[in-house]
Amino acid sequence: MDIRYSVNQRDFRRYTTEETRKEFLITGLYKPDEVVAVYSHVDRMVTLGCMPVSKAVPIEQGMDVWASFGTKCFLERRELGVFNIGAGAGAITADGKRFELGSKDCLYITRGTEKILFESADKGNPAKFYMVSAPAHKVCETKLITLAEAAKQTPGAAETANKRVINQFIHPAVLETCQLLMGLTCLEPCSVWNTMPSHTHERRMEIYTYFDIPESNVVLHMMGEPGETRHIVMQNEEAVISPSWSIHSGCGTSNYSFIWAMGGENQEFTDMDTIATTNLK
């Protein structure tokens, strides 16, 4: 498991492009019949990817849980949000209960779940399970939320190239969790900007993963302090870690989708410090 340590904003100002990518960018999440995990010391969030092809894959595949977490199973003291971002359908079995996930469906798995298995319905068109896990202090209910069941917001406008649909899946308006929040934002055709105007939220960190990026296109993800920003050029199905002091906005060479995940002090979606676009540097 790849481990990333916390970075403060003062040191970050001196980072090269390579250092920035190595510290915050997450690549290679989807390898056949494997689980790839990246542990961030920013709020102790874990980002995972799994692409089952020829067999059912346990979440702890290739992971030394005791060495990494000091627990008997991965979710002994954690909760987990899972999205299927693949075109193919898949299934997740959590402590014997099976859940079918179509493309862009989500499963919340509660703390204390011991055995989790991932499968694809068609090995020729496998599911791709994108996951984020946060520490949890209470047990909630494991629940499937389909794309149709997600709470929806439709901010932005075509004139400002940011017309989009925000689908809130793991959110207090939809179900109870400990601290994890996750949702899926889809940009309309001809819209390319996300999270504008930019913001930070001192009390929470955030992780983005970008997907549905057409071939030969990219997203320029902006991060850093509002007065001293940097960017990371991101390819399809890559993720990026955003500490509380950093903005997290992006602009694509086409429209795209992204999943946001947050953890920290509260679950207030609107708890953010907005920065005027003209004040960015």
Side-chain angles (χ1 to χ4, degrees):
M1 183 169 64
D2 186 8
I3 298 177
R4 311 284 180 93
Y5 292 91
S6 301
V7 176
N8 69 65
Q9 59 270 51
R10 295 177 299 279
D11 291 342
F12 175 67
R13 296 169 190 166
R14 301 191 294 270
Y15 273 31
T16 63
T17 298
E18 181 181 358
E19 289 171 324
T20 299
R21 293 176 66 86
K22 185 176 181 180
E23 189 64 42
F24 300 102
L25 182 64
I26 300 173
T27 64
L29 282 170
Y30 308 101
K31 300 178 180 179
D33 296 329
E34 292 187 24
V35 174
V36 178
V38 177
Y39 184 109
S40 172
H41 277 270
V42 181
D43 284 303
R44 299 192 177 274
M45 302 284 273
V46 182
T47 304
L48 309 97
C50 179
M51 185 176 69
V53 177
S54 60
K55 62 181 181 179
V57 180
I59 195 169
E60 296 171 357
Q61 172 103 9
M63 185 188 302
D64 188 334
V65 174
W66 178 258
S68 299
F69 304 100
T71 56
K72 294 179 181 178
C73 67
F74 178 58
L75 293 188
E76 183 176 319
R77 297 180 60 82
R78 289 183 158 271
E79 58 187 348
L80 180 71
V82 188
F83 278 84
N84 177 14
I85 68 167
I92 302 174
T93 303
D95 280 351
K97 188 172 182 180
R98 185 179 176 87
F99 300 89
E100 307 282 346
L101 278 76
S103 182
K104 296 181 179 175
D105 288 344
C106 173
L107 180 66
Y108 170 77
I109 305 178
T110 188
R111 166 184 165 158
T113 305
E114 294 183 1
K115 294 183 179 180
I116 304 170
L117 293 173
F118 302 99
E119 300 174 75
S120 290
D122 178 5
K123 67 178 182 180
N125 188 24
K128 293 180 180 179
F129 294 108
Y130 171 74
M131 299 168 266
V132 175
S133 173
H137 62 265
K138 66 179 180 180
V139 174
C140 299
E141 178 187 0
T142 296
K143 184 177 180 180
L144 174 68
I145 310 103
T146 66
L147 179 60
E149 295 169 330
K152 292 179 170 53
Q153 297 181 2
T154 54
E159 292 79 7
T160 49
N162 67 347
K163 188 176 182 181
R164 60 204 188 274
V165 178
I166 299 175
N167 300 278
Q168 297 170 330
F169 286 81
I170 300 177
H171 184 278
V174 180
L175 80 164
E176 181 185 16
T177 66
C178 182
Q179 69 156 318
L180 186 64
L181 291 172
M182 292 184 75
L184 164 64
T185 299
C186 300
L187 275 73
E188 298 288 339
C190 300
S191 285
V192 294
W193 285 99
N194 79 73
T195 324
M196 276 292 186
S198 299
H199 64 262
T200 60
H201 23 73
E202 183 62 30
R203 291 157 290 280
R204 292 180 295 177
M205 67 88 72
E206 193 155 4
I207 300 169
Y208 277 8
T209 191
Y210 292 99
F211 67 108
D212 285 346
I213 303 175
E215 187 176 356
S216 301
N217 285 270
V218 298
V219 171
L220 277 70
H221 179 82
M222 297 189 300
M223 64 174 301
E225 295 176 283
E228 193 158 347
T229 63
R230 304 289 187 270
H231 73 269
I232 299 177
V233 179
M234 298 188 60
Q235 309 284 339
N236 192 38
E237 298 177 354
E238 294 182 336
V240 61
I241 300 166
S242 180
S244 61
W245 47 263
S246 176
I247 67 166
H248 32 281
S249 299
C251 184
T253 56
S254 74
N255 64 319
Y256 51 90
S257 301
F258 68 99
I259 293 169
W260 41 268
M262 290 183 277
E265 296 293 346
N266 62 46
Q267 293 186 309
E268 297 297 325
F269 185 76
T270 57
D271 181 12
M272 59 185 73
D273 300 312
T274 302
I275 297 102
T277 304
T278 51
N279 289 337
L280 293 174
K281 296 179 180 178

